[in-house]
Amino acid sequence: MPNIVLFSGSSHQDLSRRVADRLGLELGKVVTKKFSNQETSVEIGESVRGEDVYIIQSGCGEINDNLMELLIMINACKIASSSRVTAVIPCFPYARQDKKDKVGKIRAPISAKLVANMLSVAGADHIITMDLHASQIQGFFDIPVDNLYAEPAVLQWIKENIAEWRNCIIVSPDAGGAKRVTSIADRLNVEFALIHKERKKANEVDRMVLVGDVKDRVAILVDDMADTCGTICHAADKLVSAGATKVYAILTHGIFSGPAISRINNAAFEAVVVTNTIPQEEKMKHCPKIQFIDISMILAEAIRRTHNGESVSYLFSHVPL
């Protein structure tokens, strides 16, 4: 592919290398460092004049530092006369702050919109991301946004790793994920269920009600992300008490902060499967239940199709893994 340059931020270099290998490219030369006052410095080590630039940086780890690094890299490429700059953000930062949840929260920010504005002002011409927490975040941008889905890779993992998948039931841990689980259930031709949860405060679930019959079935919890894992671990207990024979969890973004790892280790999961939009190597050392699906092919194919002016929607149903 001529006239294309692929750069990696510092948040997830393993994924960037996997994407570059899939595309048959070398990662571009870039040096990122911090001054003594913790300001971020970026030096692009090669010409990008007239090039189609792709910068891979996931919203994980030191999120604020990595976000600032991405903005500076975008701006550096833009003012160096690149023809187009695409930010490839596998896990979009601040995606959960996409609205004011309650009428009483009149002074709450909509931080996902702020991040969208920052990316646009920095000079991004295009955004590629995966499984946005809320699809309407695409509407926060005035530039093209491709929201990719991990669903094809998830379907393949289920068929290859769960022998009893024909007797499974797909479960959403909250009402907001109903559309996601019904799509997967329809593709597998199985039934679905959902769990209605009520929260007393953020990251703390007060009550759960299961809607659907999971008795004598393999239950597969599907969600876009898990942070402290209180919700999915409570959901797993609920499914086991309702008669599920086995419980799996499949998540696109495994954040796993705070007590998440200990909760997963103590929960009734056969496996907790995540994509590698966020690095998982260290967490997998402390939790043998965690497995990951490599989504570098999805990102690589999206980059290839974008660069060649081809349709990206093909990836929603066909992924050559």
Side-chain angles (χ1 to χ4, degrees):
M1 294 186 293
N3 304 112
I4 182 171
V5 180
L6 186 66
F7 290 114
S8 174
S10 57
S11 68
H12 197 348
Q13 293 187 343
D14 176 66
L15 178 61
S16 299
R17 284 191 290 268
R18 288 171 181 263
V19 172
D21 288 344
R22 298 272 194 178
L23 291 169
L25 299 172
E26 294 288 336
L27 287 172
K29 298 175 183 177
V30 60
V31 177
T32 59
K33 59 185 178 181
K34 289 184 181 295
F35 293 123
S36 58
N37 66 351
Q38 298 305 301
E39 286 185 0
T40 298
S41 170
V42 173
E43 295 178 10
I44 304 298
E46 59 189 81
S47 173
V48 295
R49 182 177 296 275
E51 303 282 6
D52 191 8
V53 175
Y54 295 81
I55 303 171
I56 303 175
Q57 180 83 309
S58 197
C60 57
E62 298 293 333
I63 293 177
N64 295 330
D65 286 348
N66 290 333
L67 175 59
M68 195 67 202
E69 181 181 284
L70 173 61
L71 296 171
I72 294 172
M73 290 178 72
I74 291 170
N75 189 250
C77 292
K78 196 66 179 179
I79 63 177
S81 302
S82 59
S83 65
R84 177 174 62 176
V85 179
T86 298
V88 182
I89 312 173
C91 181
F92 194 86
Y94 292 88
R96 285 178 287 181
Q97 299 183 45
D98 63 306
K99 61 183 181 297
K100 296 183 179 183
D101 287 325
K102 296 180 181 178
V103 175
K105 293 185 177 181
I106 58 174
R107 289 171 294 278
I110 303 178
S111 303
K113 169 62 174 172
L114 174 61
V115 172
N117 289 344
M118 292 165 68
L119 289 165
S120 297
V121 171
D125 300 295
H126 180 210
I127 304 294
I128 296 175
T129 187
M130 176 166 280
D131 275 359
L132 282 170
H133 185 64
S135 294
Q136 63 265 25
I137 291 175
Q138 295 170 88
F140 293 169
F141 290 88
D142 292 323
I143 58 177
V145 178
D146 283 316
N147 181 28
L148 308 178
Y149 297 97
E151 181 180 303
V154 167
L155 291 168
Q156 181 169 327
W157 189 94
I158 290 172
K159 290 179 179 180
E160 291 179 353
N161 294 275
I162 302 178
E164 315 96 316
W165 68 267
R166 289 181 177 81
N167 187 40
C168 75
I169 184 167
I170 311 298
V171 185
S172 172
D174 56 37
K179 187 175 181 180
R180 184 180 299 108
V181 300
T182 53
S183 176
I184 293 175
D186 288 345
R187 297 278 294 274
L188 293 173
N189 195 28
V190 298
E191 294 185 10
F192 72 93
L194 62 85
I195 295 173
H196 172 67
K197 64 183 180 182
E198 295 178 357
R199 293 184 184 272
K200 288 189 291 188
K201 57 184 179 181
N203 290 333
E204 185 175 333
V205 177
D206 183 27
R207 189 169 69 96
M208 285 187 160
V209 178
L210 175 63
V211 182
D213 182 14
V214 300
K215 186 173 177 58
D216 298 326
R217 294 183 180 181
V218 175
I220 304 174
L221 281 161
V222 176
D223 206 354
D224 67 315
M225 67 172 59
D227 189 352
T228 58
C229 292
T231 296
I232 64 166
C233 289
H234 286 153
D237 293 339
K238 188 76 176 177
L239 293 169
V240 169
S241 65
T245 57
K246 294 180 181 179
V247 180
Y248 294 83
I250 301 181
L251 316 158
T252 304
H253 310 298
I255 300 171
F256 301 147
S257 65
I261 298 300
S262 62
R263 284 175 172 172
I264 293 172
N265 281 328
N266 295 325
F269 292 114
E270 297 292 317
V272 174
V273 184
V274 295
T275 71
N276 58 339
T277 59
I278 295 174
Q280 300 297 340
E281 289 78 7
E282 286 300 315
K283 289 156 188 170
M284 290 172 70
K285 292 178 183 177
H286 302 286
C287 183
K289 293 182 181 180
I290 296 176
Q291 302 178 28
F292 81 84
I293 301 171
D294 183 15
I295 47 82
S296 61
M297 176 55 82
I298 300 176
L299 295 176
E301 186 67 7
I303 290 172
R304 188 192 68 79
R305 286 176 170 272
T306 299
H307 177 68
N308 292 334
E310 299 173 15
S311 171
V312 176
S313 62
Y314 178 87
L315 292 174
F316 299 163
S317 56
H318 302 82
V319 181
L321 294 173

